Amino acid sequence: MKRAAFIGTGNMGSALVRAACKALGGGEVAVSNHTFAKAETLAKETGCTAYLTNLECAQAGEYVFLGVKPWQVEGVINEIKPVLTGKALVSMAAAPDLAQLQAWTGEGVPVLRIMPNTPCAIGKGLTALCGGVNAKEEHYKGVETILAASGQVDRLEERLIDAFGSVAGCGPAFVYPYIEALADGGVTAGLPRAKAMTYAAQMVLGAAAMVLETGEHPGKLKDDVCSPGGSTIEGVAALERHGLRAAAIDAVLAAWKKNSSMGK
């Protein structure tokens, strides 16, 4: 039996398949997709095994990951339910919740949910992990091992999953326009476009690393850059005048409201 089986090889599913193959070796990973050619191409790239049907794929794995759309989850579970005994089911869909997943799979199947973000594709991601009543420590550790090459995996109560997704899942899409805007400012100031984009992206990467590695509050780190009467505080004041903080808060809350409504 293979360690992990992935049903659905869209952008996120493919990213996690690649991470699993790095962590476990391709021989420990099975994949299937509604378009077999896509699964087959991924298998050739990573060394994993592609299966023609979801049932065959699920039967081959110890941990079965569902990388399908929320509205497809019930149908796929019904399709693979005959072979779920003795396996753990891991859903990466924004909905349904653990209780609904458990109702569909039956009481004896350990059920977990994950919410990864797109930087998992380069091993710099963040994934939230929660589990149902049948999920034991071994199951949490199993998922963490399978996803180790994708980045950080953080255990979280299910009630906080929607909030997590609003920050970590949707967040990259909030940051990319900011990086682009900083680069636009650099171009306006005379920098070549390619250099401006590199400088902006590397700066955001470095600033984020400072928060994580120093443990300092972002406000203090901001103050450390701002000299009295200097150019940086002028720029910070411009951001405040245009409502950067309020816009960021509103973006997270808008995403959270949408996330919360998806499972209803």
Side-chain angles (χ1 to χ4, degrees), residues 7 54-56 58-59 64 66 73-87 89 100-109 111:
I7 296 175
N54 295 335
L55 184 66
E56 291 174 306
Q59 190 169 25
V64 181
L66 300 186
V73 172
E74 182 180 11
V76 173
I77 288 177
N78 287 335
E79 183 182 354
I80 66 176
K81 190 173 179 178
V83 300
L84 285 180
T85 301
K87 305 176 187 297
L89 182 80
Q100 184 62 76
L101 291 167
Q102 196 72 73
W104 289 336
T105 59
E107 294 183 1
V109 178
V111 172

Side-chain angles (χ1 to χ4, degrees), residues 147-167:
L147 300 182
S150 71
Q152 182 179 346
V153 179
D154 191 51
R155 300 184 192 185
L156 195 65
E157 297 176 51
E158 187 180 32
R159 66 182 182 85
L160 297 174
I161 285 288
D162 289 335
F164 169 89
S166 304
V167 176

Side-chain angles (χ1 to χ4, degrees), residues 218-233:
K220 180 186 182 302
L221 294 172
K222 178 263 296 179
D223 290 346
D224 290 344
V225 188
C226 295
S227 302
S231 57
T232 305
I233 194 62

